[in-house]
Amino acid sequence: MLFFILGAYFYYSILSNQTTKIHIEDGYILIDKKSHPWSDFTGYTLEVEKANNNIKNIVLVYAKGYTIYTINDKEENIKDFSKSLDQHLPLVGSFEQSFLEKVIRLLKL
């Protein structure tokens, strides 16, 4: 069981270090090279670091799940992106996470 958890952690670490480019278009959002229509999403939320109030992650919420992207950009670009995203998706206060997902994210942070 320990090897499974360690393997999952290392797999997650490898995936989380990849750079993803996100572009907002009129009818869809382009994530890397794949387009997703706005109707796929129910909302989005921004995760903020408690220590310095910097925006750390953007979470795109689907009807049956979510995807978390770590933000590595200038604060001005993040604000502009968020304003553009507001025109297409509602900002939600929270999203559903399982206990295992919360533990994995705490270990990662």
Side-chain angles (χ1 to χ4, degrees):
M1 181 68 172
L2 180 62
F3 291 115
F4 175 73
I5 292 172
L6 286 174
Y9 175 77
F10 288 123
Y11 178 74
Y12 176 77
S13 295
I14 291 169
L15 286 181
S16 66
N17 289 331
Q18 296 177 347
T19 301
T20 303
K21 295 186 181 195
I22 302 175
H23 296 279
I24 296 175
E25 303 294 336
D26 286 335
Y28 59 93
I29 186 168
L30 187 63
I31 301 174
D32 276 338
K33 295 180 181 177
K34 186 174 180 186
S35 62
H36 301 270
W38 292 113
S39 60
D40 286 355
F41 303 99
T42 58
Y44 81 100
T45 190
L46 299 172
E47 294 182 330
V48 179
E49 287 184 81
K50 291 181 182 177
N52 55 16
N53 286 335
N54 289 337
I55 297 172
K56 181 173 176 89
N57 296 324
I58 183 167
V59 182
L60 297 175
V61 183
Y62 302 89
K64 295 186 178 181
Y66 58 88
T67 306
I68 301 171
Y69 298 100
T70 300
I71 298 174
N72 186 13
D73 206 341
K74 297 177 185 173
E75 187 175 334
E76 180 181 309
N77 293 342
I78 295 170
K79 287 181 182 178
D80 290 342
F81 181 80
S82 179
K83 287 178 184 176
S84 297
L85 200 54
D86 280 338
Q87 296 173 2
H88 301 282
L89 294 175
L91 180 65
V92 295
S94 63
F95 59 99
E96 296 276 333
Q97 289 183 330
S98 70
F99 176 74
L100 181 60
E101 291 169 328
K102 289 179 184 177
V103 170
I104 290 171
R105 292 195 67 211
L106 282 175
L107 291 173
K108 180 66 180 168
L109 296 176

